[in-house]
Amino acid sequence: MDNQPNPPDSPGTVPAEAAPPQYPQQPPAYPTGPAQQAPPPSYPAPAGPPAYPGPGAQAPPPAYPQPPAQHAAPPPPPTAQPQIPPQPTAPPPLDPHHISTEQRRVYLKARQRHTDATSLGTLVSYLPHFLASLAVVGLLSLLLPGNGLLSLLAVLAWLLSGLLVFHGPTESVIARRLLRLRPPTPEESARLEPVWREVAARAGIDAHTYTLWIEENDDDLNAVAAAGHIVGVTTCALNRLPNGELAAILAHELGHHVGGHAWASLLGYWYALPGRVAYRVMHLITRTALRVVMFFAFYGAGTVALFFALFLLPVVIIVGAIAYATISSLYGLPLLALLAPYALAYIGRRSELRADDHAAALGFAPMLASVLHKFQQADDAARHQAALAARQAGRKPLKQRRIAKLLATHPDHHTRLNRLQPWLQPQPPR
């Protein structure tokens, strides 16, 4: 039988002789165990190809060698830290007597000043001095040549000279020469003027009417009112007092101006000046003559003493005649000048209390009371030091005489503090 070629395999038929099996190119993957089984520990492999993890576990990325340090990228520049703004600190606590000095609308009074009872009393108390001065000026004017017209003009000129008290340039001379004051520096003005404006605003007074001056005194808390427009304050008060207490003493001095105390005192002093000068001259001549006579009489030079007595006797007689003529022609009124110091001291104490009332009415009573307490403490300390020094020296402490109290121009601090008590009491609601 002839061998025939086998036909191709048809589907569903099995060849008579099976072909050899086809194996895959890759080896089969065998299971490594259940998924929850932990992988075996990894041991450091020697240098060579990386170790591939088995199936079911994610292998970490291979660790590649880092480049050398010299080829490392420069680090990024440090970013600037944001600037934290400083936290606002709490302002220091204000003094209990601090006042606001902010500018506001000011209502001025129609009547800026007046003449109270103490001002009139001052002028009346100076009347004997004025009459004595008028007599002295009249007698001196008789020495002028002419038919009497020059004498009359001289007396009239002296009477009108009192108006210079209210003259601005003359007040400047008085402040500089007599009161030893100076204008404030810009720094002092920056502190003083706002306080003065607040005081004037409360009083309804034009602050520019008055001029501010400074007294170089670092030991005395004080202020002064003089002439018609002078208000002075010490450097001690300006630098050490809070602005409320500084305003209190300025309001006190403004009370002297408003009540007419300042100009009345200066006017009376000016018109009394010729009489006082004449009195001092006559007193000096009389005392010198008596001392010369007593000197030669003590050393036994009777002839010389008699000569000086006879020489000075006419001088004493002339002086006595002038004094008698002055007193008799003015009906003895110049003799009241002996009592004038006591009257002026009493009126001065009353004017101080009125100025305290003016400051208290403006709302400065607590501040003024604080200043008066400081005055009292300073006086107590001074008296204690004086008493201690007297005991160490073996002397008795000196006590203030009654005559000194009568001649005091300022009341004691206890009296002034008691005067302020009604202003310090809480006011009932309206």
Side-chain angles (χ1 to χ4, degrees):
M1 210 169 140
D2 294 334
N3 291 334
Q4 296 291 331
N6 294 328
D9 294 337
S10 59
T13 63
V14 179
E17 188 176 355
Q22 297 294 326
Y23 295 97
Q25 296 299 326
Q26 294 180 356
Y30 297 96
T32 59
Q36 64 272 15
Q37 185 177 0
S42 59
Y43 297 95
Y52 297 97
Q58 185 176 2
Y64 297 99
Q66 298 293 330
Q70 59 270 21
H71 299 292
T79 58
Q81 297 293 334
Q83 296 293 333
I84 302 177
Q87 297 296 329
T89 58
L94 297 177
D95 190 270
H97 293 155
H98 179 82
I99 62 172
S100 175
T101 57
E102 296 181 358
Q103 295 188 11
R104 63 182 189 275
R105 185 183 297 273
V106 178
Y107 298 93
L108 301 180
K109 293 182 179 179
R111 189 181 182 186
Q112 295 284 301
R113 65 174 71 194
H114 60 276
T115 303
D116 59 15
T118 55
S119 301
L120 294 176
T122 300
L123 295 177
V124 172
S125 299
Y126 272 114
L127 183 59
H129 297 85
F130 169 75
L131 295 176
S133 299
L134 181 61
V136 171
V137 172
L139 291 175
L140 293 177
S141 64
L142 295 177
L143 302 177
L144 296 176
N147 53 0
L149 181 60
L150 290 179
S151 301
L152 180 60
L153 292 177
V155 174
L156 290 178
W158 175 74
L159 292 175
L160 295 176
S161 64
L163 298 177
L164 295 176
V165 172
F166 304 98
H167 184 235
T170 305
E171 285 187 345
S172 299
V173 174
I174 294 174
R176 295 175 185 272
R177 303 301 179 184
L178 296 182
L179 303 178
R180 303 297 181 183
L181 304 178
R182 62 168 177 80
T185 62
E187 293 78 10
E188 293 169 341
S189 296
R191 170 170 168 76
L192 184 60
E193 288 183 357
V195 179
W196 173 247
R197 286 197 301 265
E198 176 64 21
V199 172
R202 294 192 184 189
I205 302 298
D206 186 5
H208 301 286
T209 303
Y210 303 92
T211 55
L212 300 176
W213 297 83
I214 301 296
E215 179 184 354
E216 286 289 346
N217 190 335
D218 294 332
D219 300 324
D220 191 9
L221 299 172
N222 201 2
V224 61
H229 310 91
I230 296 175
V231 177
V233 63
T234 61
T235 53
C236 179
L238 181 63
N239 298 327
R240 297 185 184 181
L241 293 180
N243 68 343
E245 296 181 6
L246 179 61
I249 63 175
L250 290 176
H252 174 90
E253 302 305 330
L254 180 60
H256 285 309
H257 278 298
V258 171
H261 311 155
W263 69 263
S265 298
L266 185 58
L267 194 65
Y269 175 83
W270 172 253
Y271 282 128
L273 190 59
R276 288 182 173 179
V277 171
Y279 169 77
R280 291 183 179 181
V281 170
M282 291 188 297
H283 183 265
L284 179 63
I285 292 175
T286 305
R287 187 175 60 180
T288 303
L290 292 177
R291 286 185 176 181
V292 169
V293 172
M294 294 299 297
F295 174 80
F296 285 106
F298 178 79
Y299 285 98
T303 304
V304 179
L306 181 61
F307 170 78
F308 275 101
L310 294 176
F311 176 77
L312 295 176
L313 184 60
V315 177
V316 176
I317 292 175
I318 293 173
V319 171
I322 294 174
Y324 176 77
T326 303
I327 294 174
S328 60
S329 61
L330 298 175
Y331 303 100
L333 290 178
L335 291 177
L336 295 178
L338 301 175
L339 302 177
Y342 302 95
L344 290 173
Y346 173 77
I347 295 172
R349 294 192 294 269
R350 299 301 301 176
S351 65
E352 292 296 327
L353 295 178
R354 285 179 176 266
D356 288 347
D357 292 342
H358 180 268
L362 299 181
F364 298 111
M367 299 78 165
L368 185 59
S370 177
V371 176
L372 292 176
H373 278 297
K374 294 178 181 179
F375 287 163
Q376 184 176 357
Q377 292 175 359
D379 290 347
D380 292 342
R383 283 195 295 267
H384 177 72
Q385 292 294 335
L388 183 61
R391 291 191 185 96
Q392 291 178 353
R395 303 189 308 269
K396 292 183 179 181
L398 296 177
K399 295 183 179 181
Q400 188 178 14
R401 298 179 180 179
R402 187 177 298 274
I403 190 67
K405 294 182 179 179
L406 293 176
L407 292 175
T409 58
H410 286 64
D412 59 86
H413 303 310
H414 293 285
T415 302
R416 298 178 69 178
L417 288 172
N418 290 333
R419 178 89 172 195
L420 292 175
Q421 287 306 314
W423 302 97
L424 300 176
Q425 301 299 327
Q427 300 296 327
R430 295 182 180 180

